[in-house]
Amino acid sequence: MADATDLGRLLVRRFGKFPERYCVFDLETTGLNTRRDLALEIGLCVVEGGNVVSQQASVLDWTRCDRVDQQWLRDRLADVAKHMEKVGAVSLSYEELAERGSDPLETLASCCDRLQSLSRRGYGIVFHNGIGYDWPLLDSSLARYCDRRLRLRTRFWDTRAVEVALALAAADDGRWVPGPLEKETEYMLRLTQVPGVKSSLHRYCVPRYGLEEQLAGLSFHTAGADALATHLVLQAQRRVLGLATEA
C-alpha cells in the first residue's frame, strides 16, 4: 500500500516541483454548462512562500449586459438560490448583482490579464475542482464575450484531484499513478472524474485538515472565501505529501 509521501515523490518526479508562488482561482457561477452559464464571482488569492500577499473578489453584473437574456438570468439565479439553500449557503440575487457588481466584460478581461501576467512571472495556478469546470467556463466566457482565450504556460494544481489521489493511494487503488504518457493536466482532470471519493472543499477537506478556525466568519461558496480555503487545503496537502513550503 502506498502512503502519501510516495504520491508526493511521484508527483515531483513526473511533473516537477510545484512553484512556491501561485494564484488560487475560484468561480461562483449560474450553473454547470461551460458553454452557456456565467461567472457570477471571481476570486483570486496570490501566495508567495506559503503566505497570502493579495486577495481579490469581484462580482460580475450581468444585468447590464444586453447580450444576456435577462429572464434566463433571473431563472438561473433562482435555481442557484434553491441549490445553495439545500447546502446551507446563500447566493447572489439579480438585485445584488446590479448593486454590487462591476462591468462583467471588463472584469473578465482584467482577470485574464492578471492570470497571464502571473503566469509569465512563473506563478502556478491552483483551484479546487477547477481543472474541468472553473477553468473551461472562464475560457469559454472570455471567448464568448471578450474574443479572448486563456493560453497560459504554467503549472496547475487541483486540490480536489490531489485529495482523490491520496484516497486512491491509501486504498491501494492503482488509479493514483499517472499513466506513462499522461500530462499533468490530464492526470488532474482524470482524478476529478473518479466517482465516490470524498473530496468536497468545505464538507470534507476543510474539516479533514482542521481549517475551520482559520476560516471562521467567512461565507462559504463565495469566490473569495473559497479561494482562501483552497490555498489552506493546498498547504495542508503539501505537508501530508512531504512537500511542505518553507516559510
Side-chain angles (χ1 to χ4, degrees):
M1 181 183 298
D3 64 19
T5 57
D6 292 325
L7 173 59
R9 287 191 293 269
L10 179 60
L11 291 177
V12 172
R13 186 166 66 249
R14 279 294 307 275
F15 306 122
K17 186 177 180 182
F18 193 77
E20 299 294 337
R21 302 189 302 172
Y22 57 84
C23 177
V24 183
F25 163 76
D26 187 80
L27 289 184
E28 298 300 322
T29 73
T30 59
L32 301 175
N33 187 327
T34 58
R35 295 185 177 182
R36 178 155 193 204
D37 279 304
L38 302 170
L40 300 176
E41 291 183 84
I42 299 175
L44 301 177
C45 179
V46 180
V47 178
E48 297 178 357
N51 299 309
V52 175
V53 296
S54 70
Q55 292 179 265
Q56 176 183 341
S58 303
V59 174
L60 287 72
D61 177 18
W62 293 102
T63 70
R64 68 175 75 179
C65 182
D66 58 10
R67 295 167 60 187
V68 173
D69 182 318
Q70 295 300 303
Q71 187 57 53
W72 174 88
L73 178 60
R74 288 179 181 274
D75 291 342
R76 294 299 279 172
L77 291 171
D79 290 341
V80 172
K82 291 177 183 177
H83 171 74
M84 288 297 186
E85 185 178 4
K86 291 178 181 178
V87 298
V90 296
S91 61
L92 291 164
S93 67
Y94 187 88
E95 291 71 25
E96 285 172 320
L97 288 187
E99 292 172 5
R100 297 172 48 192
S102 54
D103 183 281
L105 309 192
E106 291 180 0
T107 304
L108 284 171
S110 175
C111 176
C112 181
D113 291 340
R114 184 80 186 280
L115 291 170
Q116 289 178 331
S117 174
L118 291 169
S119 172
R120 286 193 295 268
R121 292 155 55 194
Y123 285 72
I125 303 296
V126 176
F127 23 55
H128 189 88
N129 201 32
I131 194 77
Y133 175 52
D134 287 15
W135 198 251
L137 192 146
L138 177 62
D139 188 43
S140 172
S141 298
L142 283 164
R144 283 180 285 158
Y145 296 103
C146 303
D147 196 26
R148 298 179 63 175
R149 299 302 296 266
L150 279 170
R151 294 290 185 264
L152 306 186
R153 292 180 175 272
T154 189
R155 299 286 304 284
F156 295 90
W157 181 294
D158 193 306
T159 51
R160 179 169 183 248
V162 173
E163 204 59 42
V164 172
L166 285 165
L168 295 177
D172 203 22
D173 184 323
R175 288 178 292 176
W176 69 277
V177 179
L181 299 178
E182 203 168 28
K183 298 178 181 179
E184 185 175 35
T185 52
E186 295 170 340
Y187 173 66
M188 295 280 178
L189 178 59
R190 174 172 63 80
L191 289 170
T192 61
Q193 296 171 341
V194 174
V197 179
K198 292 181 179 180
S199 54
S200 166
L201 178 61
H202 295 297
R203 292 196 303 272
Y204 182 74
C205 293
V206 166
R208 164 173 158 77
Y209 294 113
L211 303 174
E212 296 95 334
E213 185 174 342
Q214 290 173 265
L215 296 167
L218 298 181
S219 298
F220 290 164
H221 301 292
T222 60
D226 287 3
L228 178 60
T230 300
H231 154 62
L232 295 175
V233 169
L234 169 58
Q235 291 299 308
Q237 288 178 337
R238 292 176 71 154
R239 288 190 291 271
V240 170
L241 294 166
L243 307 174
T245 299
E246 294 183 6

